[in-house]
Amino acid sequence: MEVLDVEFGHLSQEELIAPVDTVQEKWKLLPAFLKVKGLVKQHIDSFNYFINDEIKKIMKANEKVTSDADPMWYLKYLNIYVGLPDVEESFNVTRPVSPHECRLRDMTYSAPITVDIEYTRGSQRIIRNALPIGRMPIMLRSSNCVLTGKTPAEFAKLNECPLDPGGYFIVKGVEKVILIQEQLSKNRIIVEADRKGTVGASVTSSTHEKKSRTNLVVKQGRFYLKHNTLTEDIPIAIIFKAMGVESDQEIVQMIGTEEHVIAAFAPSLEECQKAQIFTQMQALKFIGNKVRRQRMWGSSGPKKSKIDEARELLASTILTHVPVKEFHFRTKCIYIAVMVRRVILAQGANKVDDRDYYGNKRLELAGQLLSLLFEDLFKKFNSEMKKIADQVIPKQRAAQFDVVKHMRQDQITNGMVNAISSGNWSLKRFKMDRQGVTQVLSRLSYIAALGMMTRISSQFEKTRKVSGPRSLQPSQWGMLCPSDTPEGEACGLVKNLALMTHITTDMEDGPIIKLAANLGVEDVNLLCGEELSYANVFLVFLNGNILGVIRDHQKLVNTFRLMRRAGYINEFVSISTNISDRCVYISSDGGRLCRPYIIVKNQRSAVTNKHIQELSQGYRSFEDFLHESLVEYLDVNEENDCNVALYEHTITKHTTHLEIEPFTLLGVCAGLIPYPHHNQSPRNTYQCAMGKQAMGTIGYNQRNRIDTLMYLLAYPQRPMVKTKTIELIEFEKLPAGQNATVAVMSYSGYDIEDALVLNKASLDRGFGRCLVYKNAKCTLKRYSNQTFDKVMGPMLDANTRKQIWRHEILDADGICSPGEKVENKQVLVNKYMPTVTQTPLEGSSVPQQPQYKDVPITYKGPTDSYIEKVMISSNAEDAFLIKILLRQTRRPEIGDKFSSRHGQKGVCGLIVPQEDMPFCETGICPDIIMNPHGYPSRMTVGKLIELLAGKAGVLDGRFHYGTAFGGSKVKDVCEDLIRYGYNYLGKDYVTSGITGEPLEAYIYFGPVYYQKLKHMVLDKMHARARGPRAVLTRQPTEGRSRDGGLRLGEMERDCLIGYGASMLLLERLMISSDAFEVDVCGKCGLLGYSGWCHFCKSSCHVSSLRIPYACKLLFQELQSMNIIPRLKLAKYNE
Amino acid sequence: MLCLHVWLLGERESGMAVPGSVQEMRERVVLGEFGIRNVHTTDFPGNYMGYNDTWNYGRFENNFRIDIVKMEGDTLEFDMVGIDAAIANAFRRILLAEVPTMAVEKVYVYNNTSIIQDEILAHRLGLIPIRVDPRLFEYRSAAEEGEGTEIDTLQFELNVKCTRNPRASKDCSDPNELYLNHKVYTSHMKWLPQGNQSDLFPETDPPRPVHGDILIAQLRPGQEISVIMHCVKGIGKDHAKFSPVATASYRLLPEITLLCPIEGELADRLQRCFSPGVIGVDEVDGKRVARVINARTDTCGREIFRHDDLKDLVRMARVRDYYIFSVESTGILPPDILVSEAIKVLMGKCRRFLDELDTSQMD
């Protein structure tokens, strides 16, 4: 009672009985979270970690270069820095560069990597500072980017959009994203059943130096260790013995002394006995004989004995991540024992681990990938220097060997640039060879770019038909968007992050080890081994390594969490218990997914209205919530230990955490959909894919960009029905779509198969009008023979002295002028190139005036374009760069594709004049008529509600929310409609515009946000009567881009055969394709030439006939490989 | 027959058509809960026994009337009674698509350094309503190419250059104060009289955009727009910019019939089911009784059908040949002129059709 008094004494009676009020606007934590973390923060964090910390560690690990030639010579790195992005103006003069300049000038946005070194020159020891060794592409908005900490006004000065998320690289003028890579967790034991049902354990160990995979397999009840470096599987008991555990009793003690465990392990001991191996030496020798011989490059040390080799192997290659110091194998033994025990316990009982469980996954980000690449390049750089030192030092020279003169920058620079621009990550060290790691950032719309930054690609083969890794895992809840995945072969393998997901970076584990020891974790090395299997003893793992054991795991976990909440440990360290395995896992490694949750104390949310108020007033930041233990991050494994309430009213006495907002379980793309919780799930998935094709706006700097392809909407609008996500990602500032008044009804026959009927007057007034920008590019190069490309003025007509038509739009400088209209085949840049570009051979005649041939840049396209702007600059190679931006304005036409935000796409089937459109009571005509058949099978109820909410919003003059799992209620929205005299159901009395009589049905009528998709007929239309042919076969070319023919394929051919239209067949397949007159000698059956058979040396039997050119080609190709096809000719009437 | 006709007239005056009767089928569009009944005109000659539906000019003249209800500024509301849907609709369609106006058709861009693309600028200029009487101009003939003449073309120029305001205070960040001419409005458009056009229009009422405050573009210092626009006469069918109306539409006169006396709480509920002022509740003998005051203002939200106990007590219908027209002009011509123009267009079409008939008969 006294305690209660102390706690509640200051409250009045009323306050005590008042109901506990809920935290009203806890979603406000989200903008606060996104302010600190941002949508692409994971990329930026990871890159920052790499250039600021990791790179120093890499340098430390490879800090010394020595030479075999001179033991006194050395090179030691003292420090390494990544500078700020700059560009070389002239020799050794640099100037800071902005990302946009790099985009325009096709350069790489990169910063110099400089090192401080200490080395010897002769007998001198020299220290040199700030020596460049290469250039590092810089991620936009990272700590070294010029954009960090700038205000929107400063962004505008740099021609940069403040809403652009950053997190990508600019390499050779192209924006490249390093996709997040999903992989199985490193250094964790995974117990799995194979196809036959036998259980085994595997560990993929990975350290800086090595990566290896160790398997524990069971064959006929015996345990074997399987490893790549071993030619055959080694009985596990022999491994134990080789590691110095010679006594069988000790082995069994480590594994466990329960009867069934001993029984399961006994055959393995027996096998060892049979092999007659009792001592460590014997065991090592046994293993040494099984080691696969592989001469690694660079390891040309003295030859080791087999025993040493085996010992070395056990210490460093097998289970690399378990540290072994001076061949004390104790920890590794225990680790293997735990693996064995895990497998024994998993047998029979279904306790195998799930590979697809998201707690077993790690995400690799740009920073990690780049650090792997950089380390490889750095090592190569060092070994190159060593090679040079080895070569140069023995030679006597006047000047002493100065290594600085041999440090070549381009190796690291090119290595980085090529990897990012091609996406091929091939590292010799780890035998890694991955393709498609990077992708060009899609700038089709703002959402496309954002969506790309949150994309996760997985390592699984796309072609394999597996369902496991593709299906939605319950553990992905809240971490990955359940909707946003492509359809087709990459389905479920390419995923997207949810709105609040954060990916951790690596952390120091030293303090955690110390803390764990202080909290009562006992070192395993001090134990005899049997304790491991005690029922009340829990094993403590830190990042996959055994730290020790703990008796009271509950207390450890609780204290640990309290310390973390108090800020003594990094907030991203996670601790979780696995009761069935009797383990406590502490993780501080990078690549884990986690998200913030509100802490629940005493069945009350720790965050109260007061906190939220302070947040909205700006007194508080998200960081404060973390520090005051109101909010904490949970990773996937720790989530399993917690009891998270979705809503405040569902808190029970077991609840530990409270969700911040349920809609955050969706990602960026799915967040655009209003009322997604009312839609059939695949529809949301379709919309996620289509939102990326919607045109609109791409950034505030869109008009300054010269992209290869850019689609913009002339009059983009914010959606009437928005969501919280839309506000958070500021989609409203860069929208992609328009609010169209939609009538859901049948109209004419041109609306079948989801086709839409558009109102002509709406199109006249600017609905769906879009701008298409394309660019044309050319460089003026210098060649090695002192010649160079040049641009010449326009050619004049001889008679009229006017510019010829092809050069009509050229200025006097030979480059088209802005604002002009270009037609097909007109010249944009009148470029000339020297005919001879090679250096003339020695002794050949001195070239006179260089000869030029014209290589004009011409415009090709079915419709005319306008020239928006012309840029003249120089690129990184100092060549002139001319970029021309071309513009087309298009109004929607029949066949253009539109879509609502509910995966309901359709093409325009008919454009109807306004007077023919139905109109409602107030005289409103719809912009779009949509057929009601689109609804029943698609079940996009969300679209119906969007229409209602949109209509109410229009009447009321405000925006409604369609946030997932919330948003404006249908009931309230409908009440609004009634207030304005509309029908409760949103169905209006509509009059036909054609007859003037009312329609028999009430029409569902109101605004829906429509997106115009990038697929337009103008870009697809294609027909050909005559046209180019392929050189080799003389058949018509293929594809629209080459003005190709339309193929009469096999099946069409079958039809013609079946119909008996043989002459048509002949006409299509030969006469109109590749008919060719050949002279065939009737005697020898070979092809002749202009009426003469070269084989028979006569012309008497030669006759002329028409065959397909491809057929003639085949004969000749066959002849070239000594097969002689002979044609037998006979008279037609014989 | 005549007496029947008079009887019919009498019926209308009383406003009654018995539910379910032939009368109702002929004269009322009935709003049901799930659909609209009797939407089509069915009074064709010989379609109904006992009715003479043959065309009779005298009868039409007697029945037909137009009442102007409201005319304020650019909007006009009038009732057109006693006419077939096809004809009423023809007026609406002609108003939307076939009454000519002048609009910018060609834009000659001499300089445009603004953020707005030339095509978009031209599109925007095209949509500006130009206040000039289109009847004073001819259509430009399609055959002849060229600049056009004073009788078919009206020229405007727009020359705006944005500069920094030298008198703006230093710490100011409001673009309105920082820059001069940074917003291009329709008031910047200047008429260039061609030929005798300056005599045609009084100086007080020169051709100009209807509204002077339509924002065309925004500029920043150094940016400039310099264009000359040619306006031509055209019709809405060709492009919506020529449409003289913001919208022209009609609705049928609502009719609400209480099928039995509604009293007490039901009456109040009934009142709430309709737009304000449609249903009145009177105190009769201490009882509250509902009464239809003015069905015309009802928006036909059909709220009544959500009340199971009320929906069968009321019949919602609309009078088939009572059109409440609403014409909103864009401001180029007053709406009443537009309507008479529309009638002229229809008359012209009829005349042309009759001429066609005559010529074809001659062949």
Side-chain angles (χ1 to χ4, degrees), chain A residues 470-634:
Chain A
R470 291 174 187 269
S471 52
L472 191 61
Q473 253 276 330
S475 54
Q476 291 173 7
W477 202 93
M479 301 293 177
L480 301 179
C481 178
S483 288
D484 197 358
T485 178
E487 301 161 65
E489 59 168 12
C491 186
L493 298 179
V494 172
K495 295 179 267 278
N496 275 273
L497 293 178
L499 209 57
M500 281 219 292
T501 317
H502 178 80
I503 302 173
T504 59
T505 48
D506 278 312
M507 267 167 276
E508 276 304 319
D509 51 7
I512 300 169
I513 298 174
K514 259 186 221 161
L515 178 80
N518 287 341
L519 292 176
V521 175
E522 293 166 63
D523 191 347
V524 266
N525 296 327
L526 307 175
L527 305 171
C528 74
E530 205 180 338
E531 294 90 336
L532 299 182
S533 49
Y534 286 170
N536 59 340
V537 168
F538 273 57
L539 266 174
V540 181
F541 283 85
L542 171 67
N543 294 335
N545 266 326
I546 298 173
L547 210 59
V549 294
I550 184 85
R551 257 176 248 265
D552 188 355
H553 68 275
Q554 207 65 49
K555 193 176 150 207
L556 169 75
V557 171
N558 287 342
T559 336
F560 204 89
R561 284 189 185 148
L562 280 178
M563 307 263 297
R564 184 180 62 197
R565 287 177 191 178
Y568 293 109
I569 320 173
N570 189 304
E571 69 251 33
F572 296 115
V573 176
S574 97
I575 184 163
S576 58
T577 41
N578 186 332
I579 305 285
S580 61
D581 288 342
R582 291 192 294 110
C583 290
V584 174
Y585 294 106
I586 305 172
S587 310
S588 68
D589 54 341
R592 283 171 298 126
L593 289 163
C594 59
R595 75 196 286 255
Y597 287 95
I598 295 172
I599 295 169
V600 170
K601 282 179 197 152
N602 304 326
Q603 300 191 44
R604 296 276 295 273
S605 154
V607 176
T608 60
N609 279 326
K610 195 182 107 230
H611 296 123
I612 297 294
Q613 217 163 42
E614 285 172 3
L615 179 77
S616 33
Q617 285 164 347
Y619 297 146
R620 226 170 230 290
S621 70
F622 191 78
E623 238 90 73
D624 298 325
F625 279 86
L626 278 176
H627 295 153
E628 288 173 34
S629 70
L630 303 169
V631 163
E632 70 176 337
Y633 286 101
L634 297 184

Side-chain angles (χ1 to χ4, degrees), chain B residues 328-355:
Chain B
E328 284 174 46
S329 165
T330 51
I332 296 173
L333 291 174
D336 51 332
I337 306 270
L338 285 178
V339 174
S340 57
E341 282 299 306
I343 294 168
K344 276 184 208 156
V345 170
L346 185 59
M347 277 159 65
K349 284 183 167 214
C350 294
R351 204 165 294 132
R352 198 156 63 243
F353 182 62
L354 289 174
D355 290 349

Side-chain angles (χ1 to χ4, degrees), chain A residues 346-413:
Chain A
Q347 262 157 0
N350 196 12
K351 280 205 322 195
V352 289
D353 295 319
D354 186 356
R355 206 170 246 280
D356 303 323
Y357 170 62
Y358 237 72
N360 290 333
K361 301 270 187 177
R362 292 294 177 270
L363 300 186
E364 221 171 19
L365 286 150
Q368 278 116 301
L369 286 163
L370 280 178
S371 80
L372 288 177
L373 185 71
F374 177 75
E375 185 161 11
D376 211 54
L377 292 169
F378 191 59
K379 281 199 163 129
K380 213 182 272 169
F381 178 79
N382 286 343
S383 73
E384 206 97 308
M385 270 197 303
K386 176 176 146 56
K387 214 183 276 169
I388 291 167
D390 287 350
Q391 277 169 8
V392 179
I393 290 173
K395 292 179 192 159
Q396 287 301 318
R397 290 269 173 91
Q400 278 168 325
F401 175 66
D402 189 347
V403 75
V404 174
K405 290 189 180 119
H406 299 277
M407 285 166 81
R408 285 177 51 224
Q409 284 192 46
D410 52 343
Q411 198 176 26
I412 292 180
T413 312

Side-chain angles (χ1 to χ4, degrees), chain B residues 128-345:
Chain B
I128 295 167
I130 307 289
R131 189 186 175 91
V132 60
D133 193 336
R135 289 169 292 188
L136 300 173
F137 290 87
E138 299 287 323
Y139 287 105
R140 198 186 259 195
S141 64
E144 68 177 81
E145 278 287 308
E147 293 291 281
T149 57
E150 62 200 53
I151 53 156
D152 58 21
T153 310
L154 202 57
Q155 289 194 17
F156 284 93
E157 69 167 0
L158 180 65
N159 287 313
V160 186
K161 191 167 185 185
C162 177
T163 48
R164 246 171 234 290
N165 186 1
R167 274 171 294 178
S169 60
K170 279 228 177 78
D171 52 347
C172 167
S173 63
D174 178 17
N176 290 320
E177 204 171 311
L178 271 176
Y179 315 125
L180 295 173
N181 275 340
H182 84 291
K183 282 180 172 164
V184 183
Y185 288 109
T186 38
S187 54
H188 286 105
M189 282 165 68
K190 223 178 89 198
W191 175 44
L192 302 175
Q194 304 294 304
N196 67 345
Q197 281 178 353
S198 47
D199 309 331
L200 208 58
F201 299 100
E203 229 156 84
T204 48
D205 186 27
R208 61 180 188 276
V210 172
H211 306 280
D213 56 350
I214 301 176
L215 185 66
I216 299 172
Q218 286 208 31
L219 303 179
R220 282 295 175 267
Q223 293 183 344
E224 186 182 353
I225 289 181
S226 166
V227 296
I228 287 192
M229 293 159 257
H230 288 194
C231 301
V232 300
K233 191 171 167 179
I235 54 170
K237 211 181 231 175
D238 175 41
H239 194 283
K241 70 185 171 190
F242 292 114
S243 185
V245 289
T247 191
S249 77
Y250 59 77
R251 61 193 181 103
L252 301 180
L253 176 75
E255 184 193 69
I256 296 159
T257 325
L258 306 183
L259 300 175
C260 64
I262 295 170
E263 295 167 351
E265 182 263 343
L266 282 182
D268 292 321
R269 208 132 49 78
L270 184 78
Q271 192 178 30
R272 283 199 298 276
C273 284
F274 291 94
S275 304
V278 175
I279 302 285
V281 178
D282 301 329
E283 198 89 8
V284 179
D285 305 336
K287 275 191 211 156
R288 294 172 62 71
V289 179
R291 176 173 65 90
V292 179
I293 305 177
N294 183 11
R296 186 190 171 94
T297 52
D298 189 44
T299 54
C300 293
R302 311 188 302 284
E303 180 65 4
I304 189 86
F305 294 116
R306 292 179 66 215
H307 300 265
D308 284 335
D309 49 347
L310 279 173
K311 67 180 175 192
D312 295 329
L313 310 181
V314 179
R315 188 193 66 165
M316 286 182 74
R318 314 195 93 172
V319 182
R320 189 193 300 289
D321 59 355
Y322 196 110
Y323 297 92
I324 302 171
F325 262 87
S326 117
V327 178
E328 284 174 46
S329 165
T330 51
I332 296 173
L333 291 174
D336 51 332
I337 306 270
L338 285 178
V339 174
S340 57
E341 282 299 306
I343 294 168
K344 276 184 208 156
V345 170

Side-chain angles (χ1 to χ4, degrees), chain A residues 1002-1126:
Chain A
Y1002 297 116
I1003 302 298
Y1004 206 57
F1005 200 96
V1008 175
Y1009 196 65
Y1010 259 80
Q1011 302 162 315
K1012 186 177 189 193
L1013 304 185
K1014 64 170 184 181
H1015 306 284
M1016 286 177 284
V1017 254
L1018 195 66
D1019 301 321
K1020 315 226 160 171
M1021 64 171 197
H1022 174 51
R1024 134 172 178 163
R1026 255 166 295 185
R1029 283 149 192 267
V1031 181
L1032 184 71
T1033 59
R1034 300 201 184 168
Q1035 288 174 353
T1037 50
E1038 201 185 327
R1040 189 184 109 99
S1041 54
R1042 277 166 297 196
D1043 190 24
L1046 296 162
R1047 185 180 150 91
L1048 187 101
E1050 285 167 75
M1051 300 175 100
E1052 292 81 359
R1053 184 207 62 148
D1054 294 346
C1055 291
L1056 292 182
I1057 293 173
Y1059 191 71
S1062 58
M1063 290 314 281
L1064 177 60
L1065 202 63
L1066 186 73
E1067 190 269 335
R1068 280 292 90 200
L1069 295 184
M1070 184 172 84
I1071 296 164
S1072 294
S1073 172
D1074 59 343
F1076 184 65
E1077 294 274 337
V1078 279
D1079 292 334
V1080 181
C1081 176
K1083 202 170 155 205
C1084 62
L1086 298 178
L1087 301 183
Y1089 184 66
S1090 52
W1092 177 260
C1093 174
H1094 273 270
F1095 186 76
C1096 305
K1097 303 278 181 233
S1098 102
S1099 64
C1100 54
H1101 298 287
V1102 175
S1103 39
S1104 174
L1105 53 137
R1106 278 177 110 191
I1107 59 168
Y1109 187 84
C1111 179
K1112 171 244 162 194
L1113 184 70
L1114 172 75
F1115 293 159
Q1116 289 181 328
E1117 283 181 355
L1118 286 174
Q1119 279 179 344
S1120 72
M1121 34 191 186
N1122 275 342
I1123 301 167
I1124 306 180
R1126 288 182 198 275

